[in-house]
Coordinates of all heavy atoms in Angstrom, one line a residue:
A648 N 3.3 -6.5 -2.5 CA 2.0 -7.1 -2.6 C 1.9 -8.3 -3.5 O 0.9 -9.0 -3.5 CB 1.0 -6.1 -3.2
F649 N 2.9 -8.6 -4.5 CA 2.9 -9.7 -5.2 C 3.5 -10.9 -4.8 O 3.2 -12.0 -5.2 CB 3.6 -9.3 -6.7 CG 2.7 -8.3 -7.4 CD1 2.9 -6.8 -7.1 CD2 1.8 -8.5 -8.4 CE1 2.1 -5.9 -7.8 CE2 1.1 -7.6 -9.0 CZ 1.3 -6.3 -8.7
Y650 N 4.5 -10.8 -3.8 CA 5.4 -11.9 -3.4 C 4.4 -12.9 -2.6 O 3.8 -12.4 -1.5 CB 6.6 -11.4 -2.5 CG 7.1 -12.6 -1.8 CD1 7.8 -13.7 -2.5 CD2 7.0 -12.8 -0.4 CE1 8.3 -14.6 -1.7 CE2 7.6 -13.9 0.2 CZ 8.2 -14.8 -0.5 OH 8.7 -15.9 0.2
A651 N 4.3 -14.1 -3.1 CA 3.5 -15.2 -2.4 C 2.0 -14.8 -2.2 O 1.4 -15.1 -1.0 CB 4.2 -15.5 -0.9
T652 N 1.6 -14.1 -3.2 CA 0.1 -13.7 -3.1 C -0.5 -14.1 -4.6 O 0.2 -14.1 -5.5 CB -0.2 -12.4 -2.8 OG1 0.1 -11.4 -4.0 CG2 0.6 -11.7 -1.6
P653 N -1.9 -14.1 -4.6 CA -2.6 -14.4 -6.0 C -2.7 -13.0 -6.6 O -3.4 -13.0 -7.6 CB -3.8 -15.0 -5.5 CG -4.1 -14.6 -4.3 CD -2.9 -14.2 -3.5
L654 N -2.1 -11.9 -6.3 CA -2.5 -10.6 -6.8 C -2.3 -10.5 -8.3 O -3.3 -10.1 -9.1 CB -1.8 -9.4 -6.1 CG -2.1 -8.1 -6.7 CD1 -3.5 -7.8 -6.5 CD2 -1.2 -7.0 -5.8
H655 N -1.2 -11.0 -8.9 CA -0.9 -10.8 -10.3 C -2.0 -11.5 -11.1 O -2.5 -11.1 -12.1 CB 0.5 -11.3 -10.7 CG 1.0 -11.2 -12.0 ND1 0.7 -9.9 -12.7 CD2 1.5 -12.1 -12.9 CE1 1.3 -10.1 -14.0 NE2 1.7 -11.3 -14.0
E656 N -2.2 -12.8 -10.7 CA -3.4 -13.7 -11.4 C -4.7 -12.9 -11.2 O -5.4 -12.9 -12.4 CB -3.4 -15.0 -10.7 CG -4.0 -16.1 -11.4 CD -4.2 -17.2 -10.6 OE1 -3.4 -17.6 -9.6 OE2 -5.0 -18.2 -10.8
L657 N -5.0 -12.3 -10.1 CA -6.4 -11.7 -10.1 C -6.4 -10.5 -11.0 O -7.4 -10.2 -11.7 CB -6.6 -11.3 -8.6 CG -6.8 -12.4 -7.7 CD1 -6.9 -11.9 -6.2 CD2 -8.1 -13.2 -8.0
L658 N -5.3 -9.7 -11.0 CA -5.2 -8.5 -12.0 C -5.4 -8.9 -13.4 O -5.9 -8.3 -14.2 CB -4.1 -7.7 -11.5 CG -3.8 -7.1 -10.2 CD1 -2.6 -6.3 -10.0 CD2 -5.1 -6.1 -9.9
Q659 N -4.5 -10.0 -13.7 CA -4.5 -10.4 -15.1 C -6.0 -10.8 -15.6 O -6.5 -10.5 -16.7 CB -3.6 -11.6 -15.3 CG -2.1 -11.1 -15.2 CD -1.7 -10.1 -16.1 OE1 -1.7 -10.5 -17.3 NE2 -1.3 -8.9 -15.7
K660 N -6.6 -11.6 -14.7 CA -8.0 -11.9 -15.0 C -8.9 -10.9 -15.1 O -9.8 -11.0 -16.0 CB -8.5 -13.0 -13.9 CG -8.2 -14.3 -14.0 CD -8.9 -15.2 -13.1 CE -8.3 -16.6 -12.9 NZ -8.4 -17.0 -11.5
A661 N -8.7 -9.8 -14.4 CA -9.6 -8.6 -14.5 C -9.1 -7.6 -15.7 O -9.7 -6.6 -15.8 CB -9.5 -7.8 -13.2
G662 N -8.0 -8.0 -16.4 CA -7.6 -7.1 -17.6 C -6.9 -5.8 -17.1 O -7.0 -4.9 -17.8
I663 N -6.4 -5.8 -15.9 CA -5.7 -4.5 -15.4 C -4.3 -4.4 -16.0 O -3.5 -5.3 -15.9 CB -5.7 -4.7 -13.9 CG1 -7.1 -4.8 -13.3 CG2 -4.9 -3.5 -13.3 CD1 -8.0 -3.6 -13.5
T664 N -4.0 -3.3 -16.4 CA -2.7 -2.9 -16.8 C -2.2 -1.7 -16.1 O -0.9 -1.4 -16.2 CB -2.7 -2.4 -18.4 OG1 -3.7 -1.3 -18.4 CG2 -3.2 -3.5 -19.2
H665 N -2.8 -1.0 -15.4 CA -2.5 0.3 -14.6 C -2.9 0.2 -13.2 O -3.9 -0.3 -12.9 CB -3.1 1.5 -15.3 CG -2.4 2.0 -16.6 ND1 -2.5 1.1 -17.8 CD2 -1.8 3.1 -17.0 CE1 -1.9 1.6 -18.7 NE2 -1.5 2.8 -18.3
L666 N -1.9 0.6 -12.3 CA -2.2 0.6 -10.8 C -1.9 1.8 -10.1 O -0.8 2.5 -10.4 CB -1.3 -0.5 -10.2 CG -1.5 -2.0 -10.8 CD1 -0.4 -2.9 -10.1 CD2 -2.9 -2.4 -10.4
L667 N -2.8 2.4 -9.5 CA -2.6 3.6 -8.7 C -2.3 3.2 -7.2 O -3.1 2.4 -6.7 CB -3.8 4.6 -8.7 CG -4.5 4.9 -10.1 CD1 -5.6 5.9 -9.8 CD2 -3.4 5.3 -11.0
F668 N -1.3 3.7 -6.6 CA -0.9 3.2 -5.3 C -1.1 4.3 -4.1 O -0.8 5.5 -4.4 CB 0.6 2.8 -5.2 CG 0.8 1.6 -6.1 CD1 1.1 1.5 -7.3 CD2 0.8 0.4 -5.1 CE1 1.4 0.3 -7.9 CE2 1.1 -0.9 -5.8 CZ 1.4 -0.9 -7.2
M669 N -1.7 3.8 -3.1 CA -1.7 4.7 -1.8 C -1.3 3.7 -0.7 O -1.2 2.5 -0.8 CB -2.9 5.4 -1.4 CG -4.0 5.2 -2.3 SD -5.3 6.5 -1.9 CE -6.7 5.3 -1.2
G670 N -1.0 4.3 0.6 CA -0.8 3.5 1.8 C 0.6 3.7 2.3 O 1.1 4.7 2.1
V671 N 0.9 2.8 3.2 CA 2.1 2.9 4.0 C 2.9 1.6 4.0 O 2.4 0.5 3.8 CB 1.6 3.2 5.6 CG1 0.9 4.5 5.6 CG2 0.8 2.1 6.2
T672 N 4.1 1.8 4.4 CA 5.0 3.0 4.4 C 5.6 3.2 3.0 O 5.9 2.2 2.3 CB 6.0 3.0 5.5 OG1 7.0 2.1 5.2 CG2 5.4 2.9 6.9
T673 N 5.9 4.5 2.6 CA 6.3 4.8 1.3 C 7.5 4.0 0.8 O 7.5 3.6 -0.2 CB 6.5 6.4 1.2 OG1 5.5 7.1 1.8 CG2 6.6 6.8 -0.2
E674 N 8.5 4.0 1.8 CA 9.7 3.4 1.3 C 9.9 1.9 1.5 O 10.8 1.3 1.1 CB 10.9 4.2 1.9 CG 11.3 3.7 3.4 CD 10.4 4.3 4.4 OE1 9.3 5.0 4.1 OE2 10.8 4.2 5.7
V675 N 8.9 1.4 2.2 CA 8.9 0.0 2.7 C 7.9 -0.7 1.7 O 8.2 -1.1 0.6 CB 8.7 -0.3 4.1 CG1 8.9 -1.8 4.4 CG2 10.0 0.3 4.9
C676 N 6.8 -1.0 2.2 CA 5.9 -1.8 1.4 C 5.2 -1.1 0.1 O 5.0 -1.8 -0.8 CB 4.7 -2.3 2.4 SG 5.3 -3.4 3.6
V677 N 5.1 0.2 0.1 CA 4.6 0.8 -1.0 C 5.6 0.8 -2.2 O 5.3 0.4 -3.2 CB 4.1 2.3 -0.8 CG1 3.7 3.0 -2.0 CG2 3.0 2.3 0.2
Q678 N 6.8 1.2 -1.8 CA 7.8 1.2 -2.8 C 8.1 -0.3 -3.4 O 8.3 -0.6 -4.6 CB 9.2 1.8 -2.4 CG 10.2 1.8 -3.4 CD 11.5 2.6 -3.1 OE1 12.0 3.1 -4.0 NE2 11.9 2.8 -1.8
T679 N 8.2 -1.2 -2.5 CA 8.4 -2.6 -2.9 C 7.4 -3.0 -3.8 O 7.6 -3.8 -4.8 CB 8.6 -3.5 -1.7 OG1 9.5 -3.0 -0.8 CG2 8.9 -5.0 -2.1
S680 N 6.1 -2.8 -3.5 CA 5.0 -3.2 -4.3 C 4.9 -2.5 -5.6 O 4.7 -3.2 -6.7 CB 3.6 -2.9 -3.5 OG 3.5 -3.6 -2.4
M681 N 5.4 -1.3 -5.7 CA 5.5 -0.5 -7.0 C 6.5 -1.2 -7.9 O 6.4 -1.3 -9.1 CB 5.7 1.0 -6.8 CG 4.3 1.6 -6.4 SD 4.5 3.5 -6.4 CE 4.7 3.8 -8.2
R682 N 7.6 -1.5 -7.2 CA 8.8 -2.1 -8.1 C 8.3 -3.5 -8.6 O 8.6 -3.9 -9.7 CB 10.0 -2.2 -7.2 CG 10.6 -0.9 -6.9 CD 11.8 -1.0 -6.0 NE 12.5 0.3 -5.7 CZ 13.3 0.9 -6.4 NH1 13.7 0.4 -7.6 NH2 13.7 2.1 -6.1
E683 N 7.7 -4.2 -7.7 CA 7.2 -5.6 -8.1 C 6.2 -5.5 -9.3 O 6.2 -6.1 -10.2 CB 6.5 -6.3 -7.0 CG 7.4 -6.9 -5.8 CD 6.6 -7.8 -5.0 OE1 5.5 -7.4 -4.7 OE2 7.2 -8.7 -4.3
A684 N 5.3 -4.4 -9.2 CA 4.3 -4.2 -10.2 C 5.0 -3.9 -11.5 O 4.6 -4.3 -12.6 CB 3.4 -3.1 -9.8
N685 N 6.1 -2.9 -11.5 CA 6.6 -2.5 -12.7 C 7.4 -3.8 -13.4 O 7.3 -3.8 -14.6 CB 7.7 -1.4 -12.4 CG 8.4 -0.9 -13.6 OD1 9.6 -1.1 -13.8 ND2 7.7 -0.1 -14.4
D686 N 8.0 -4.5 -12.6 CA 8.6 -5.9 -13.1 C 7.6 -6.7 -13.8 O 8.0 -7.5 -14.7 CB 9.3 -6.5 -12.0 CG 10.7 -5.8 -11.6 OD1 11.2 -5.0 -12.4 OD2 11.3 -6.3 -10.7
R687 N 6.4 -6.7 -13.4 CA 5.3 -7.5 -14.0 C 4.7 -6.9 -15.1 O 3.6 -7.4 -15.6 CB 4.4 -8.1 -12.9 CG 5.0 -9.0 -12.0 CD 4.2 -9.2 -10.7 NE 5.0 -10.3 -9.9 CZ 6.0 -10.2 -9.2 NH1 6.7 -9.0 -9.2 NH2 6.6 -11.2 -8.5
G688 N 5.0 -5.5 -15.5 CA 4.4 -5.0 -16.7 C 3.3 -4.0 -16.4 O 2.7 -3.4 -17.3
Y689 N 3.0 -3.7 -15.1 CA 2.1 -2.6 -14.8 C 2.5 -1.3 -14.8 O 3.7 -1.1 -14.5 CB 1.5 -2.9 -13.4 CG 0.8 -4.2 -13.2 CD1 1.4 -5.4 -12.7 CD2 -0.5 -4.4 -13.7 CE1 0.8 -6.6 -12.7 CE2 -1.2 -5.7 -13.7 CZ -0.5 -6.9 -13.2 OH -1.0 -8.1 -12.9
D690 N 1.7 -0.3 -15.3 CA 2.1 1.1 -15.4 C 1.6 1.7 -14.0 O 0.4 1.9 -13.8 CB 1.4 1.7 -16.6 CG 2.0 2.9 -17.1 OD1 2.7 3.7 -16.3 OD2 1.9 3.3 -18.3
G691 N 2.5 2.2 -13.2 CA 2.1 2.6 -11.8 C 2.2 4.1 -11.5 O 3.0 4.7 -12.2

Side-chain angles (χ1 to χ4, degrees):
F649 291 86
Y650 169 69
T652 75
L654 181 58
H655 185 47
E656 198 186 335
L657 292 170
L658 294 176
Q659 292 296 295
K660 271 190 198 142
I663 297 297
T664 56
H665 287 60
L666 299 174
L667 312 189
F668 286 88
M669 357 193 253
V671 297
T672 60
T673 317
E674 81 281 11
V675 183
C676 292
V677 176
Q678 176 165 217
T679 302
S680 298
M681 282 191 70
R682 289 174 183 274
E683 285 187 333
N685 182 250
D686 283 345
R687 286 164 177 77
Y689 298 96
D690 202 334

